[in-house]
Amino acid sequence: MSFAVDMLKMLTSAYNRTDIIPMESGKAPQTNIGKLFYLAGWGFDIIKDQTEKVRLWDDIDKMEGAVLNRFGKDFGVERGEAGDPIMRVMIKVKIIAMLASGNLDTLISSAAALFGIRPEDVRYQEVYPAKVYLYIDEDKLDQEHKDVAGIIAGLMSRIKSAGVGTRIFYKTYHSQRRKVYLASLVAKTVKININPDISDQYISSVVEIGSGIATLVHVQRAYYPQIMAEGK
């Protein structure tokens, strides 16, 4: 709703407010006071839209272009040839690396922040000696994070402690449907009664009987998890 409509609604009944309903449906005002408020409200609407855009772009996940570049320079991150999604990841990694202690809790919370998921959605496994496996559920990621998953996994090495190796795995789900044909043996007995004619005392008849063997073919398919990156 525009400022012009709000201002008209604040007027008392002594003023003509017939433009409220038409202006709410997007039509131009007809009364003089409606036109006056329409011009004033148009400027206020522009200010509101720009203020809202500034508020949204204060979020690193919404920043784009030059605004993202200026934010990155505050942390010493240069764009180079990277696009906006990769630039956001680079800035987040730099901020986390400045604050991270490198322990397991930090690795989990850092992975969750970089992949845009909750920390409880990150599964981990400590592997001897000095390795940590992190498992990320692919279904929890949006397309933007899927596109830069490999880059995120590679940059995770800046957050971990020295001497600790990390691996990040995708948890993926696959389903298949196959037709299975089952056969059962069937035996048919054919009995033919032939009465020979007097003129032809010898009659020979050959009946072909086919038999089949039921066969079940078992197909087994193995899926192995995809390793996105390994840090040493």
Side-chain angles (χ1 to χ4, degrees):
M1 186 178 296
S2 66
F3 277 95
V5 175
D6 289 339
M7 289 188 291
L8 283 174
K9 289 183 177 181
M10 293 178 184
L11 292 177
T12 64
S13 58
Y15 295 90
N16 188 347
R17 301 186 298 173
T18 57
D19 283 328
I20 292 179
I21 295 178
M23 290 176 65
E24 285 181 335
S25 60
K27 296 180 181 179
Q30 300 299 322
T31 64
N32 290 334
I33 194 168
K35 294 177 182 178
L36 176 63
F37 281 5
Y38 180 80
L39 291 176
W42 175 71
F44 289 134
D45 288 338
I46 294 177
I47 295 174
K48 178 183 177 181
D49 292 341
Q50 296 303 315
T51 303
E52 182 67 16
K53 185 180 292 186
V54 171
R55 185 187 69 82
L56 290 176
W57 281 35
D58 192 47
D59 184 356
I60 187 174
D61 292 324
K62 301 291 191 301
M63 294 180 184
E64 297 178 359
V67 177
L68 192 61
N69 290 343
R70 290 195 297 269
F71 190 79
K73 286 183 179 180
D74 293 340
F75 298 95
V77 179
E78 297 293 337
R79 177 185 289 272
E81 299 297 327
D84 286 343
I86 299 176
M87 182 66 174
R88 294 189 189 100
V89 173
M90 293 168 61
I91 296 174
K92 289 180 180 180
V93 170
K94 185 62 178 293
I95 296 173
I96 293 174
M98 293 169 59
L99 304 174
S101 58
N103 56 18
L104 180 59
D105 290 338
T106 302
L107 287 176
I108 294 174
S109 59
S110 300
L114 293 174
F115 283 103
I117 57 179
R118 300 177 302 174
E120 52 266 31
D121 292 329
V122 180
R123 297 290 181 263
Y124 71 91
Q125 179 184 4
E126 296 183 75
V127 182
Y128 179 84
K131 280 186 178 293
V132 176
Y133 290 174
L134 300 178
Y135 299 92
I136 308 297
D137 194 335
E138 185 180 14
D139 289 347
K140 301 290 184 180
L141 304 183
D142 55 27
Q143 189 57 47
E144 181 178 359
H145 287 88
K146 288 181 181 180
D147 294 338
V148 296
I151 298 173
I152 294 175
L155 294 175
M156 283 288 293
S157 60
R158 301 183 182 181
I159 301 173
K160 65 181 180 60
S161 300
V164 177
T166 60
R167 282 188 178 184
I168 301 180
F169 297 88
Y170 256 158
K171 290 175 62 179
T172 58
Y173 304 91
H174 299 273
S175 62
Q176 285 188 338
R177 179 177 296 180
R178 290 281 186 264
K179 291 182 178 180
V180 178
Y181 298 94
L182 300 177
S184 58
L185 294 177
V186 178
K188 290 185 178 180
T189 301
V190 180
K191 183 177 181 181
I192 300 177
N193 294 323
I194 301 175
N195 298 319
D197 295 335
I198 298 176
S199 60
D200 189 356
Q201 297 296 326
Y202 177 78
I203 295 177
S204 176
S205 177
V206 177
V207 178
E208 295 183 356
I209 298 177
S211 62
I213 300 176
T215 303
L216 175 62
V217 179
H218 174 68
V219 180
Q220 183 174 353
R221 183 72 179 272
Y223 293 94
Y224 299 97
Q226 176 187 0
I227 300 177
M228 289 189 284
E230 179 180 1
K232 298 181 179 179

